[in-house]
Every structure is written in C-alpha cells, then in structure tokens.
Amino acid sequence: MFRELRRKNQLLSEKESIDILNRNTSGTLACIGDNDYPYAVPLSYVYSDGKIYFHCAVEGHKLDAIKRNSKVSFCVIDTDDVLPEKFTTRYRSVIAFGKARIIEDDNEKRKTLEILARKYSPNDDAAIEKEINGAIERTCMVEIDIEHMTGKEGIEFTRLRNS
C-alpha cells in the first residue's frame, strides 16, 4: 500500500523517527484541499502513543479538507544543514501517513489538549489548566492515527554513521 524507501541505507529506525517527532515542535500537514489541490500547512503538534495531535480553530481549510478526505501526511524536518561545497544538505526528516480524525468527545479533547500543552509548557500546570479552560470551546483537536512512517537521513549522515 505504501512505497518502500528506495535508498534503504538511509532509512532511520522507528525509534530514531519517533525521537525526531518528539524533539521537534513543528511539522507540515498535507491533505487534499479545495478543488483537489494539495494543501500543506505548517503547524505545532505533539506525538503520543503512535498518534500525532494538533489543534486548530473550529472551522477552516484544514478541517474542511479532513472532513472530505481523512487521508493525510505529516512531515517533520529535524536537521537541514546546507553543505555548499558539496552541493547537498545534511538532513534528517520523518514523514507519517495516516487518517485524521476530529476529536468530538470533550474529555478526549481536554486530555489531548493537555498532552499538547505539556509539550510546550511542561512546568506550568496552573497556566495549562487556565489556558485550556479559556480556549476549549473555540479549539478543535485533531488526531492523526499513523498507518505508515518513514524516517530518512541524507547520505552525509549515513556516511558519518558508517565511518
């Protein structure tokens, strides 16, 4: 169903891919937008238990696209160092494919908002609670259930790893 990575020697392990998702703060969601044009939008996210969560307004392009077609991809670039003398970059990235689901249940919405908030404000429980209480009615939470994920590193990293 999903293509295998062509350059298998550059494939990252599942653990390395999850580490990339955990240490980064933004990624790009891609879905089928209006008139079947691709729609890709950068956003903040959290990875938890095989799923990616993000928040957004309760209406808009992302949600309309997800309601029409739940299949999405999500890409995170971990490293992208330009090596001008070699005409290449030293990079690591992850792309996840899955189905997006708008979280309707209020308890689940609150729980996933807390997971997201703790990633960005890990030491302020009182502020997290206050923010969630003030924003929950005008916030939508979306879950991406990951069906396939591939992490890849540029050949420069692979050569360093193998030396």
Side-chain angles (χ1 to χ4, degrees):
M1 179 172 175
F2 294 98
R3 291 181 184 216
E4 287 187 33
L5 188 65
R6 203 170 38 87
R7 296 187 173 174
K8 292 183 182 8
N9 63 321
Q10 292 173 249
L11 180 67
L12 297 176
S13 70
E14 182 178 15
K15 181 191 179 315
E16 290 168 314
S17 295
I18 290 170
D19 288 346
I20 288 172
L21 291 177
N22 281 328
R23 78 172 155 256
N24 285 278
T25 58
S26 64
T28 302
L29 174 73
C31 46
I32 302 299
D34 295 343
N35 300 311
D36 293 330
Y37 279 95
Y39 178 63
V41 60
L43 48 83
S44 301
Y45 73 95
V46 64
Y47 172 85
S48 179
D49 295 325
K51 299 178 187 318
I52 294 169
Y53 298 96
F54 64 89
H55 74 298
C56 58
V58 295
E59 60 183 36
H61 197 166
K62 281 188 294 290
L63 293 181
D64 291 346
I66 289 167
K67 288 173 186 173
R68 275 194 310 274
N69 186 340
S70 65
K71 293 179 181 178
V72 300
S73 65
F74 190 77
C75 180
V76 174
I77 298 171
D78 184 48
T79 305
D80 186 25
D81 299 324
V82 176
L83 303 173
E85 69 284 358
K86 294 185 177 189
F87 296 92
T88 191
T89 60
R90 185 173 28 234
Y91 68 89
R92 283 192 182 101
S93 62
V94 171
I95 186 163
F97 298 87
K99 292 197 175 109
R101 175 179 71 90
I102 298 165
I103 296 173
E104 304 288 350
D105 179 76
D106 287 340
N107 291 328
E108 185 181 8
K109 183 177 169 181
R110 178 173 289 279
K111 178 184 168 205
T112 55
L113 268 169
E114 287 174 2
I115 293 168
L116 180 68
R118 288 192 197 299
K119 177 175 182 172
Y120 296 91
S121 299
N123 301 317
D124 201 343
D125 290 346
I128 288 171
E129 186 70 20
K130 182 180 177 188
E131 184 66 23
I132 290 172
N133 288 337
I136 197 162
E137 293 301 318
R138 64 181 193 280
T139 302
C140 180
M141 285 299 292
V142 178
E143 170 194 275
I144 301 171
D145 185 17
I146 298 172
E147 296 176 357
H148 179 74
M149 179 170 61
T150 303
K152 183 181 177 187
E153 66 183 7
I155 194 67
E156 298 298 326
F157 273 130
T158 303
R159 287 179 182 143
L160 283 172
R161 184 191 302 248
N162 293 335
S163 62

